[in-house]
Amino acid sequence: MAAFGILSYEHRPLKRPRLGPPDVYPQDPKQKEDELTALNVKQGFNNQPAVSGDEHGSAKNVNFNPAKISSNFSSIIAEKLRYNTFPDTGKRKPQVNQKDNFWLVTARSQSSINNWFTDLAGTKPLTQLAKKVPIFSKKEEVFGYLAKYSVPVMRSAWMIKMTCAYHAAITETKVKKRHVIDPCIEWTQIITKYLWEQLQKVAEFYRQFPSQGCSSPLPATPADVETAMKQWEYNEKLAMFMFQDGMLDRHEFLTWVLECFEKVRPGEDELLRLLLPLLLQVRTKLREIEEQVKERGQAVEFRWSFDKCQETTAGFTIGRVLHTLEVLDNHSFEKSDFNNSLDSLYNRIFGSGQSKDGHEMSPDDDAVVTLLCEWAVCCKRSGRHRAMVVAKLLEKRQAEIEAERCGESEVVDEKGSVSSGSLSAATLPIFQDVLLQFLDTQAPTLSEPLSPGNESERVEFSNLVLLFCELIRHDVFSHNIYMCTLISRGDLASDSHLQRPRSPSDEPSDESERKEQDTGSSVKMEMFSPPMHCESKGSPSPEKPAPEQDSKAGCKDKGMDPAFPQLYEQPRHIQYATHFPIPQEESASHECNQRLVVLYGVGKLRDEARHTIKKITKDILKVLNRKSTAETGGEEGQKRKRSKPEAFPTAEDIFSKFQHLSHFDQHQVTSQVSRNVLEQITSFALGMSYHLPLVQHIQFIFDLMEYSLNISGLIDFAIQLLNELSLVEAELLLKSSSLVGTYTTSLCLCIVAVLRRYHSCLILNPEQTAQVFDGLRIVVKSGVNPADCSSAERCILAYLYDLYTSCSHLKNKFGEIFSEFCSKVKNSIYCNIDPSDSNMLWDPVFMMEAIANPSAHNFNHSMVGKILNDSPANRYSFVCNVLMDVCVDHRDPERVNDIGILCAELTAYCRSLSAEWLGILKALCCSSNNGNCGFNDLLCNVDVSDLSFHDSLATFVAILIARQCLLLEDLVRCVAIPSLLNAACSEQDSEPGARLTCRILLHLFKTPQRNPVPQDGVKSGIGIRSSCDRHLLAASQNSIVVGAVFAVLKAVFMLGKNLCSDAELRGSGLSHPAGLDDISEGRNVSIETASLDVYAKYVLKTICQQEWVGERCLKSLSEDSSALQDPVLVNIQAQRLLQLICYPHRQLDSDDGDNPQRQRIKRILQNMDQWTMRQSSLELQLMIKQSTNNELYSLLENIAKATIEVFQKSAELNSNPSGNGAAAQGGSASNNNSTTSKMNSSERSGVWLVAPLIAKLPTSVQGHVLKAAGEELEKGQHLGSSSRKERDRQKQKSMSLLSQQPFLSLVLTCLKGQDEQREGLLTSLYSQVQQIVTNWREDQYQDDCKAKQMMHEALKLRLNLVGGMFDTVQRSTQQTTEWAVLLLDIISSGTVDMQSNNELFTTVLDMLSVLINGTLAADMSSISQGSMEENKRAYMNLVKKLRKELGDRQSESLEKVRQLLPLPKQTRDVITCEPQGSLIDTKGNKIAGFEKEGLQVSTKQKISPWDVFEGLKPSAPLSWGWFGTVRVDRKVTKFEEQQRFLLYHTHLKPKPRSYYLEPLPLPPEEEEPLTPVSQEPEKKMMEAVKPEKSVPDYVNRTPSGVTYGTNMPPELMQNHPYGRLPYSQQTMSMYTQNQPLPPGQFMACSLIIIVFVSSSTHQELCYGWNNKNTIWDCG
């Protein structure tokens, strides 16, 4: 030890001086000297040597146990090995000396900075550069210097690491409990901020000079901009290097790149040039998966529930279709305001359904267009306005799409619409293909002409003609392209021998005409001579059985036109081409000629067709041009015509020829005739002619136009006439004509009647409505007194009031000039009147002359009205005399009509007569009141039980109501209800009055006939003669309050119910059609002679069959269903009445069988289609509202079970090929997408509608249905069945039900708002999916392909249901985590993968993605910092759990899952080792004693790139302990041993001669004492161990100058394939535990070892130099 005296403890200098001398005694922890026991305190420490005896003596005489010595030696070796094993320093952070290795940059040190960065950019080793690293005051300044000197990015990254390490060390020194800052995030923010600043400098320069094309070059770039661009280019590369090396937060950096790209303004090409290279590096695969992103995004949007339904008209599309139908049903077409206009209707239909592209039509748009066409054509809805509504909606939709395509707001001219002839052949309307497909597949055609069940077919065909007439007028459908398409397809090729197709118009063409009508009314057409008696066509008389009349009419039609049936033999497009009208304009002449050539060729047939039209037009014009008006002696003209009837055609002849024309020809005829009439009127108004057409003639033209379905032309013609009336009146005044004040008002009354009839069509066009209002206001003059005016003026004023109150735009335009007058009209015409009960002196001869000749206008109505107004007795006598004449004396229909018109005129001048009419009608209908109603004189002379005058009286009352003399609701309130209630209460002698009331109500509530045609051989009946009065009566029906309608229905129902027993009620017409059919078909008796109860049922059924009644009632019940909840009706009666309203033509339900309530509910669901869904909903809602608390549960259970039974039956039909195909189509989810529209229409019926229906019911119903559906869903999980066959059968049965998308739609619909049920169903679905995964892991599906397919189908269906409840899952963090783990388990277990079922795999993957990303989403309405932190915490917990579940498992499917997790930080992976055979206990501790020789792979350690420093010794995270490295004693080699010997011996020297002269050696005992040994060798060795500063760090020297170790410059240790680790490229001489050490070798890294051997102790000491030139002890 003497040789090491300078390094001994005594002589070692103290770095930190302490008090007192240094303690050189070797101190050990827990040494015995430190134990303060009582003995040590008293006696001091007493050393106990290991060997007793002399402390300084020998121990050779002591006996030692060899086993103990061996054990002690082994423990010493084990302890040495433990101490020599390197500890695990992986959790330590790299330590840097911020004082010695760094220096702060100042202004004075600029030259040093330049030199240092020049060296950094060069090849100087990092070990030398690391000795003094410059630190800037701002971290981002380093980027500028790095770019300035173009430092290689790898060495720049090292510089950034050193800067980060310095700041981290400074922060740790200053703050004890510091917040650990992630260097990835910190430096990502620093470098992105720096890059953004450079980009902004460049952007500001280029924004000063916007791009002006190639002709204007940019000015020279300033120096600062050039610098910024260079800085951008360099630091962008540095950022990408750091990104790839894992030094940046990848998510943060990518987000910044996208934000920069989004902030680039249009035209900033230079910025794009800078950004695109960076952007394209991170978005290389976006284009490849764009379509997949769209498809999967749509699936996520629809919650994975309607994947197949999106492709057909089922599923989502049917939802929109039903929504459209509901909007149409709820819209009121009788009024127009802000919330109820064509624009609002359009927005409700197309506003929510248009595609994102806008200009492209979506598939559900096609379905909506098809539905609109069906709605306009079918018989399930009524109204001529439907065609115009559809045409205007599609025109608006087409204009919107075209405007978006062209980028223009206006795509039509000022006219708003042009004829289709102006469209070029290449211009295809937007909806042309959809409409053509509708004509190909769904449009009605004419089949068998005489089939009694084909009335609806003929009506629908007429509606189709009207629809396409309007579509062509509005340029939505091109007739020219249609004809070209038919020619190209060959659809118009027909046999030339077939005769020309004829019109179907000889049959009823309106829905109202196919209903049972009153007796064929013999009506006089007020036209030319001779007077014509016309009756309602196609309306069987109540007195005769319907089949007889049908057969007579059929035989007559067949005999009248033998060629007519050939119309029905033509192909559909021949029929359409024949009948579809074309606008009669010059621009459409090409289309008209094309049509003629296609249908008739160029020969004789075409000439005959033209001749027929010209002949009919000539006949009509011959009559119109006759000088027969009052201006030229109209009466004389009538007499001349009577004397020579053959000179002019009769109305019968004209109409007979006209009705056999096609609709196209009818339009052509009426257009020419109307133009001629208008020319006559205009010529007279201008004073150029003295001829005015008769009002009757114009009315006849109106009737022809109405019959031909030329509705738009009719409205235009009426408005044009209305605009000329003021000029005509002025001209009449100028000529002092006798027609002043009568002609214009009479003609205006006809115009008002037409406009009232088509009021819903008129108000669709606000401009036309304003014209009509202004024209009528001018005709009646504002100064007219509503209480003292003619009947025509009264009707005109009433229509003015209705127009003003129903159109908000009229109030805005004419409010100032009409609002006050409007109040007067309301108080005079629309005020409620109470009936009079007069009993005055009766004058039997008062006004009998006028009554006897009512058509003679030989007295002043105004004067007579004043007389009646002044005398109540006169009024009493007048009404009695009129009723005596109508009921007793004369019952001629013509006379009744004339009397009615006369009384209407007088009532207009004498308002008090209204109460008298109401009173006398009450007296007749309530004649059992023993004279309490007055008018006893009439009751004494009229026998109410006489049925012969009932029709005449009903016609008379109908005319009074039509002419605004009475309000229909007043008649119901004061007359009908009291009379019916008297009979219902079984009052004495009340039956005759009740029967009369029923007859009057039947006439008043039936839809008046349109233009009746006289038929020979049919008994004439009673009816309203003038079509003008019929239109006015229909208007009165539409204006009645719906409450009065319900009151009539309930009263008549009670009348039929109380006059028969319960048994008769079941078998009568109310509950079974046989009760009525026996009367109307089987027996040869009149309905009038039937019992009152049967007659009441007939009246009730007939009233319910009127379309306006059903439509008004259904619309009212849809808004408020309490109208039928009347105390007078028991539950079953209210339900029966509702059935009559909903299904007037259907057999009512019977109550037979078990559980009739459930059977009835089942029938409701099975028979439902899109048109009757409203009725089905009303029925179920009524049943629910009627149920008490005790009955409600049973009802809900019946609804739920009936619903499931409907689906089960549909599933059976689907699985049975021989089942009902139509039903199967409705329920199958696997329908072929190429099915026709007919099949698509059938899809909108049956089970597809159950879910929308249940959605309209209360939530309690949905809860019960959901419960029943959940029970059915559970049946698919019979996994514990002992029989596999039974299990498969149960599964198959459940699958057949669950495979129906309608069933899934039902479940998802019921889930809305059912939180409790949702939780239970979610729990059940979780267990089911979990069971599927468990079964897969148990290999239950591996060997059976069918079972695997069923498993995948079952899993998909359950995931569809879960998708519908994702909002519930995401509301709970626990459920989100559970389902996310389960979905991950589905993929990780291999239950679903990309190869076996990619569609299902993407569903599971997207669900997992939504759950993961949805955790971060927050409610924007209540977002706060706390909620955001909570969401982030939940997100991180979920990600952590999923990563734990994923582990290190690798597969293609799992890689897709990993992409959903946040981008992980890139780390350096190091594989660690441990002794082979090592065991670990449950706590993670190693169990000693089981190690074997060698090592085994243990774990994989991750090191952050920021913790690996090049140029330094191995960083703290890199631990030698990871590799089992152990310090071992170096074995001295042979040459080293010889070298050591050389240090302590002397070479032989030549001896001097004196040596040989010395005496010989003596024996030892005789020798003298030896001199001490020289210390020179030891001194030399002491000098050798001194560190030499001139020696390089990597050179080790021995005292003799021999070099040992390896010479490794640090530059050679900087290349690493993963992260430039310093130890990878070198051959590492490492020797680990339990490995033999080859002779002469030692472990070497950056550690250089020198061995010194002491001659006195022979102890080996190892010293080494590290890179800091400091000596450290290796032990």
Side-chain angles (χ1 to χ4, degrees), residues 512-524:
S512 60
E513 297 172 22
R514 64 184 173 87
K515 307 295 185 291
E516 293 183 351
Q517 304 298 342
D518 194 7
T519 56
S521 304
S522 177
V523 179
K524 173 182 179 183

Side-chain angles (χ1 to χ4, degrees), residues 104-137:
L104 298 178
V105 175
T106 61
R108 298 178 180 179
S109 59
Q110 190 64 38
S111 60
S112 301
I113 288 292
N114 294 337
N115 295 333
W116 194 91
F117 273 97
T118 301
D119 293 339
L120 181 65
T123 59
K124 190 172 185 177
L126 296 179
T127 54
Q128 297 182 21
L129 293 174
K131 295 177 181 179
K132 287 294 181 179
V133 178
I135 299 297
F136 296 90
S137 58

Side-chain angles (χ1 to χ4, degrees), residues 329-330 1041-1043 1045-1046 1109-1124 1174 1178:
D329 288 338
N330 294 335
V1041 293
V1042 72
V1045 178
F1046 280 115
V1109 173
E1111 190 63 29
R1112 293 284 301 278
C1113 292
L1114 290 177
K1115 183 175 292 187
S1116 175
L1117 290 173
S1118 299
E1119 298 172 357
D1120 182 14
S1121 60
S1122 61
L1124 294 179
R1174 178 173 54 171
L1178 290 176

Side-chain angles (χ1 to χ4, degrees), residues 113-367:
I113 288 292
N114 294 337
N115 295 333
W116 194 91
F117 273 97
T118 301
D119 293 339
L120 181 65
T123 59
K124 190 172 185 177
L126 296 179
T127 54
Q128 297 182 21
L129 293 174
K131 295 177 181 179
K132 287 294 181 179
V133 178
I135 299 297
F136 296 90
S137 58
K138 295 182 180 180
K139 299 178 183 179
E140 59 269 16
E141 292 181 7
V142 69
F143 298 115
Y145 280 89
L146 294 174
K148 178 180 178 181
Y149 291 92
S150 300
V151 179
V153 290
M154 183 179 68
R155 296 168 71 89
S156 297
W158 174 84
M159 173 62 184
I160 294 174
K161 286 183 185 179
M162 297 298 292
T163 304
C164 177
Y166 169 79
H167 288 284
I170 291 297
T171 305
E172 186 175 4
T173 304
K174 292 181 179 179
V175 184
K176 294 183 178 179
K177 296 182 179 180
R178 62 185 180 92
H179 177 68
V180 180
I181 301 177
D182 187 359
C184 293
I185 298 178
E186 179 186 11
W187 284 91
T188 301
Q189 295 174 351
I190 293 174
I191 195 169
T192 53
K193 180 181 178 182
Y194 186 81
L195 286 172
W196 176 251
E197 291 175 354
Q198 308 310 311
L199 191 65
Q200 287 300 106
K201 293 178 182 179
V202 177
E204 290 175 0
F205 169 74
Y206 285 107
R207 286 170 185 167
Q208 297 175 2
F209 308 98
S211 177
Q212 299 177 356
C214 301
S215 59
S216 56
L218 289 173
T221 307
D224 57 341
V225 177
E226 287 287 347
T227 303
M229 293 187 68
K230 291 180 180 179
Q231 290 283 345
W232 167 269
E233 292 175 357
Y234 174 83
N235 286 285
E236 179 263 330
K237 296 177 182 178
L238 175 60
M240 286 306 302
F241 176 83
M242 297 175 67
F243 175 84
Q244 295 170 356
D245 200 42
M247 297 176 63
L248 299 182
D249 186 280
R250 296 195 289 174
H251 183 272
E252 192 80 18
F253 183 74
L254 294 179
T255 303
W256 175 81
V257 172
L258 294 177
E259 289 178 353
C260 290
F261 187 76
E262 292 173 353
K263 292 178 181 179
V264 175
R265 301 175 184 176
E268 296 180 343
D269 298 337
E270 290 296 329
L271 299 185
L272 285 178
R273 185 178 63 84
L274 297 177
L275 277 174
L276 279 178
L278 183 63
L279 183 67
L280 293 178
Q281 292 182 56
V282 295
R283 300 180 70 181
T284 55
K285 293 187 177 181
L286 186 60
R287 288 292 179 186
E288 300 177 9
I289 60 173
E290 184 176 0
E291 290 301 323
Q292 186 180 3
V293 169
K294 289 182 179 180
E295 294 175 2
R296 291 168 63 179
Q298 187 179 12
V300 173
E301 184 178 356
F302 293 109
R303 298 298 188 185
W304 306 278
S305 299
F306 298 97
D307 47 358
K308 295 182 180 179
C309 306
Q310 304 304 314
E311 304 171 2
T312 63
T313 56
F316 172 76
T317 304
I318 195 175
R320 187 177 175 198
V321 167
L322 293 177
H323 167 74
T324 303
L325 186 58
E326 183 179 5
V327 169
L328 291 170
D329 288 338
N330 294 335
H331 189 84
S332 177
F333 294 97
E334 289 78 22
K335 63 179 181 180
S336 175
D337 53 34
F338 179 76
N339 295 322
N340 192 91
S341 63
L342 192 66
D343 291 337
S344 64
L345 180 64
Y346 174 84
N347 292 331
R348 292 188 183 103
I349 293 177
F350 291 104
S352 60
Q354 63 183 12
S355 62
K356 295 180 181 179
D357 297 334
H359 61 273
E360 296 295 338
M361 258 180 40
S362 58
D364 50 314
D365 252 6
D366 292 354

